[in-house]
């Protein structure tokens, strides 16, 4: 994988910026856009999202210890699924916010231009924007139901145009485009924040596990031999008395024996001190020797 070889920072930062750039182009796309332009922008959006997603997930998984990657993967999946659900609500909320600022004026002016009384046009224009939004998504013109008997008082040509398939889409075009602009601006801001966060990441030095303390190794050896730890340390009376000899009799001989054992134990993966402790424990308790 390229991100494993060259690092994930360039891919995550570049992917987030490319996605933000695609949303920026969508802001200036006219409502009667050519299809090939829209296809190129959407392709760039998908490429940027894919360029960001996989290296970003790998970067997060590599930042946690190996024994905690299962929990980390579960948390990532939980946040992603939650974000997918919340993004729908955020998108429609931003769309409604954009519609509510321009829709009443555009609808009232369009209805009055077709001969609808100003009072009725003003009342219809203040209907909840969410209803207009879903009517636009469903391709439904609600004017015939909203105006009701008022259509009968209009000229035949105007009545047919208001209830037809052209009036309502052209009426909400500008407010709908403004609502999309608010949602795209939020997407640009989110991607720029993601790019900045990705740019601030770096390779972390893995913490080296501290070696096991000599005290814990001493306790383990004593437990295996069935003896007290005090019998293994020091050439004092405790260790020598356990062997039935006079204090100081071990002296240099024991140290030289331990030194020879330590030289022989360098290939078994144990420290020389631990090997010497094990040899001393075996001498103190011969029954603890393993066959």
């Amino acid at each position: 994988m390229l991100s494993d070889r060259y690092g994930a920072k360039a891919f995550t930062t570049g992917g987030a910026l490319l996605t933000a750039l695609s949303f920026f182009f969508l802001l200036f796309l006219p409502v009667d856009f050519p299809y090939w332009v829209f296809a190129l922008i959407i392709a760039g959006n998908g490429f940027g999202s894919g360029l960001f997603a996989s290296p970003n997930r790998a970067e997060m998984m590599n930042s946690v210890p190996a024994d905690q990657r299962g929990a980390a993967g579960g948390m990532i999946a939980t946040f992603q699924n939650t974000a997918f659900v919340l993004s729908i609500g955020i998108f429609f909320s931003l769309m409604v916010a954009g519609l509510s600022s321009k829709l009443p004026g555009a609808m009232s002016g369009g209805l009055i231009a077709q001969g609808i009384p100003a009072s009725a046009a003003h009342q219809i224009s203040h209907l909840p924007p969410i209803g207009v939004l879903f009517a636009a998504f469903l391709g439904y013109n609600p004017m015939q139901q909203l105006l009701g008997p008022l259509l009968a008082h209009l000229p035949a040509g105007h009545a047919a145009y208001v209830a037809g398939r052209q009036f309502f889409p052209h009426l909400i075009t500008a407010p709908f485009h403004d609502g999309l602009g608010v949602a795209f601006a939020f997407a640009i801001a989110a991607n720029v924040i993601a790019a900045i966060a990705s740019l601030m990441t770096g390779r972390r030095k893995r913490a080296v596990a501290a070696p096991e303390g000599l005290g814990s190794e001493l306790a383990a050896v004593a437990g295996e031999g069935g003896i007290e730890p005090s019998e293994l340390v020091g050439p004092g009376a405790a260790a020598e008395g356990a062997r039935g000899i006079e204090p100081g009799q071990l002296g240099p001989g024991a140290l030289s024996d331990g030194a020879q054992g330590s030289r022989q134990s360098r290939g078994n993966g144990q420290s020389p001190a631990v090997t010497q402790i094990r040899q001393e424990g075996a001498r103190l308790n011969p029954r603890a020797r393993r066959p």
Side-chain angles (χ1 to χ4, degrees):
M1 209 178 157
L2 292 177
S3 61
D4 295 334
R5 176 177 298 181
Y6 301 106
K9 181 185 296 187
F11 294 94
T12 53
T13 305
L17 291 178
L18 181 59
T19 307
L21 185 63
S22 67
F23 282 115
F24 180 78
F25 288 150
L26 287 174
L27 276 176
F28 297 96
L29 192 69
V31 292
D32 54 346
F33 54 83
Y35 178 77
W36 67 270
V37 176
F38 179 73
L40 286 178
I41 296 176
I42 294 300
N45 185 282
F47 184 75
S49 300
L51 197 64
F52 171 83
S54 180
N56 181 65
R57 183 181 178 88
E59 183 77 8
M60 288 188 290
M61 295 298 291
N62 291 333
S63 65
V64 298
D67 58 344
Q68 297 180 11
R69 287 176 182 170
M75 291 298 296
I76 293 173
T78 300
F79 279 110
Q80 284 182 339
N81 293 333
T82 304
F84 288 152
V85 175
L86 292 178
S87 63
I88 300 175
I90 294 174
F91 173 80
F92 280 109
S93 299
L94 294 173
M95 284 289 300
V96 170
L99 278 172
S100 60
S101 61
K102 297 290 183 66
L103 181 64
M107 186 174 291
S108 177
L111 290 174
I112 293 175
Q114 297 300 321
I116 304 297
S119 58
H122 182 74
Q123 183 179 2
I124 293 174
S125 65
H126 283 81
L127 291 176
I130 190 68
V132 177
L133 180 63
F134 278 99
F137 286 154
L138 297 174
Y140 169 70
N141 184 0
M143 286 301 161
Q144 187 171 0
Q145 283 72 24
L146 292 175
L147 294 174
L150 291 176
L151 287 175
H153 300 283
L154 297 178
H158 286 197
Y161 176 70
V162 170
R165 301 179 59 181
Q166 300 293 327
F167 174 73
F168 183 70
H170 285 87
L171 187 66
I172 65 172
T173 293
F176 189 81
H177 187 267
D178 292 337
L180 284 176
V182 175
F184 291 156
F186 175 81
I188 292 172
N191 280 278
V192 170
I193 293 174
I196 295 174
S198 300
L199 192 62
M200 296 174 63
T201 60
R203 294 184 178 273
R204 297 183 178 180
K205 295 181 179 180
R206 296 184 179 180
V208 180
E212 188 177 3
L214 188 60
S216 59
E217 295 177 347
L218 179 62
V221 173
E224 293 177 1
I227 56 180
E228 293 295 329
S230 60
E231 302 179 33
L232 297 177
V233 294
E240 296 177 358
R243 297 173 55 186
I245 59 178
E246 295 298 328
Q249 187 174 346
L250 281 174
L255 293 176
S256 61
D257 294 342
Q260 292 176 0
S262 65
R263 285 193 299 268
Q264 296 173 358
S265 66
R266 293 184 185 276
N268 61 3
Q270 297 177 351
S271 64
V274 175
T275 304
Q276 184 177 356
I277 291 173
R278 291 186 180 276
Q279 291 175 352
E280 185 67 18
R283 285 196 295 268
L284 291 176
N285 191 356
R287 291 175 299 177
R289 295 182 180 179
R290 296 180 180 177

